[in-house]
Amino acid sequence: MRPLLLLLSTCLLSAPAFADPCLQTDKKGADGDPRSYDYGKCKSDKPSETYGSIGVIGQQMQGLMEQRQANDDAQRAAIQRSNAAFLAERAQLYSKMKFGTSMELVNGQETVAIYQYKDADISAEQRAAIRSEIGTAIDAGKLLETYGIVDYSSDAAWPAEPASEKWKACEVATVLTRAYTFGDFITADQKNPAKGFAIARKGKDRNCGGAAYWLGRIFELGDTVTPGVDKVLDKYPRTRIRDAYEIAIINGVLPAYERAAEMNTHPLPRYKDKKYFEPTEFTRYQYWYDMQGEEYQLATRQYLKCLDFEPGNLVCARGLRDLYSLDKPPFKPNVELAAYYKDYVSKLEQLITASDSGK
């Protein structure tokens, strides 16, 4: 009550003298409010002015409230303008991105160069020859006999030169990751998910795009494919998965665009709405935050690049349809593009259905 009285007294300093006996008195009422004690005196001595003084107080308080509302409205308008300017600036920045990754956005091209698998540029003919060599071993059922004798989870297995051997090491590590983890190209009894996971992690650390891509897939599947993966993801599953796919993207593994965009728009089911306790801060945090502004724009860019690479990718087409239909402040639906991709998805679904029925 006392702070309110101080405010009212301040507001009435310029009021007529009749306010003094009503509000400025040493007498205290039962509830500590001098006005409640002197109200009868004010009313009997100067009723018209007393009632008038109450009206003035109300008017002054109403004026304060109106000014506050005006200030709030002005602040909201300024925030909206700022958001619009920010989004326009970011959209322009995203349009110029070479790769479409958060690493590129936040750190710039100089830092992105750190994540490139360097000194491994060889001709298309050389790449085809190496892949043919690996394919021959697979067809003969001798993938592990030929390449599994080298431990690609160690630094010693990754040559620094020449370029052809460096490129081959990345290619072999990628295939071995698939083989050991998912059983591709080998027999069921030869599977070794822990070994595949170790190779994928080392390959990603060496900026091998193929190994980084399959590491992202392993991270997505978690302990169901390789026990111990969720422990490695710890409290940062989204960040670790995103980083794996972005290194893959930077090194030319185009299928990673689809998975990266999906990770920027949808939480993995096993992390949805789940939280962990942080004892140092005595609070709980989500493992996977809802999509924010940067994820929205980044995912849009990645879905577009995905369709550039693979126009028949239904996942990416649906992603663009949903993002352009998004109505989540400060974002508003893009009616024209939402309609375009809705039609695109419909036609693509029809083509896929017709193709499947013709098999």
Side-chain angles (χ1 to χ4, degrees):
M1 181 64 76
R2 289 185 180 278
L4 176 60
L5 292 175
L6 291 174
L7 174 61
L8 296 176
S9 299
T10 302
C11 294
L12 293 174
L13 288 177
S14 59
F18 69 77
D20 291 344
C22 296
L23 298 179
Q24 298 180 15
T25 173
D26 292 331
K27 298 179 180 180
K28 305 293 181 184
D31 61 356
D33 184 350
R35 187 173 173 189
S36 68
Y37 183 88
D38 288 341
Y39 183 71
K41 176 183 177 182
C42 290
K43 183 177 181 181
S44 60
D45 287 356
K46 298 195 176 189
S48 61
E49 292 184 356
T50 299
Y51 295 118
S53 70
I54 296 173
V56 169
I57 293 171
Q59 291 174 6
Q60 290 177 334
M61 295 305 293
Q62 182 180 11
L64 289 175
M65 294 299 293
E66 290 175 349
Q67 181 61 47
R68 173 61 182 272
Q69 183 64 44
N71 290 341
D72 289 347
D73 291 343
Q75 288 179 359
R76 277 192 289 270
I79 290 172
Q80 290 175 351
R81 288 194 299 271
S82 175
N83 284 342
F86 173 78
L87 294 176
E89 178 185 352
R90 300 302 267 189
Q92 180 69 10
L93 182 59
Y94 276 103
S95 69
K96 296 180 179 179
M97 292 171 68
K98 179 179 180 180
F99 299 107
T101 65
S102 61
M103 292 178 182
E104 179 184 9
L105 178 70
V106 175
N107 300 318
Q109 291 293 339
E110 297 81 4
T111 306
V112 167
I114 296 173
Y115 300 105
Q116 292 175 332
Y117 192 63
K118 296 181 178 63
D119 303 322
D121 292 332
I122 59 176
S123 67
E125 291 76 14
Q126 288 176 297
R127 295 184 183 191
I130 292 172
R131 285 174 175 158
S132 177
E133 176 188 309
I134 297 172
T136 298
I138 291 173
D139 292 340
K142 296 182 178 181
L143 175 66
L144 299 188
E145 182 181 336
T146 306
Y147 300 105
I149 55 177
V150 178
D151 182 9
Y152 284 91
S153 65
S154 68
D155 288 322
W158 296 79
E161 57 182 2
S164 59
E165 287 302 312
K166 188 170 184 181
W167 193 89
K168 181 179 179 179
C170 178
E171 194 73 6
V172 169
T174 299
V175 174
L176 288 177
T177 295
R178 289 184 60 184
Y180 283 126
T181 307
F182 302 100
D184 297 340
F185 320 126
I186 60 175
T187 60
D189 61 303
Q190 291 177 311
K191 280 183 64 176
N192 189 337
K195 193 166 187 177
F197 185 37
I199 294 173
R201 294 181 72 184
K202 177 58 66 175
K204 182 256 186 184
D205 290 343
R206 307 283 303 194
N207 295 331
C208 168
Y213 172 78
W214 287 105
L215 178 63
R217 298 300 299 267
I218 294 169
F219 278 158
E220 280 195 59
L221 295 168
D223 286 351
T224 60
V225 67
T226 305
V229 169
D230 286 345
K231 185 176 180 180
V232 172
L233 291 174
D234 194 30
K235 303 170 185 176
Y236 317 102
R238 187 182 206 168
T239 300
R240 298 193 192 283
I241 296 172
R242 181 202 65 193
D243 289 350
Y245 285 135
E246 291 194 351
I247 287 177
I249 288 170
I250 289 168
N251 288 283
V253 184
L254 299 181
Y257 275 119
E258 174 199 302
R259 304 315 310 150
E262 288 287 285
M263 294 303 99
N264 281 322
T265 53
H266 308 294
L268 290 176
R270 69 180 185 276
Y271 289 111
K272 185 175 176 59
D273 298 327
K274 289 187 178 179
K275 297 181 179 182
Y276 65 88
F277 180 72
E278 181 54 66
T280 59
E281 300 180 29
F282 206 69
T283 189
R284 297 181 70 84
Y285 292 101
Q286 287 182 314
Y287 279 101
W288 205 285
Y289 287 94
D290 291 338
M291 185 175 65
Q292 305 295 322
E294 289 206 353
E295 285 84 359
Y296 170 88
Q297 290 178 298
L298 186 59
T300 301
R301 188 70 177 160
Q302 290 168 340
Y303 277 134
L304 286 169
K305 284 184 170 290
C306 169
L307 283 188
D308 285 343
F309 157 67
E310 189 181 359
N313 190 309
L314 187 57
V315 171
C316 294
R318 286 173 173 167
L320 286 170
R321 176 200 61 190
D322 295 343
L323 286 179
Y324 284 126
S325 302
L326 185 67
D327 189 4
K328 183 178 180 181
F331 302 105
K332 295 181 179 180
N334 186 319
V335 177
E336 181 180 356
L337 288 175
Y340 173 82
Y341 282 104
K342 182 178 180 180
D343 182 60
Y344 190 104
V345 168
S346 178
K347 291 178 179 177
L348 183 55
E349 289 174 336
Q350 292 175 17
L351 289 172
I352 293 173
T353 299
S355 175
D356 290 343
S357 63
K359 290 181 179 179

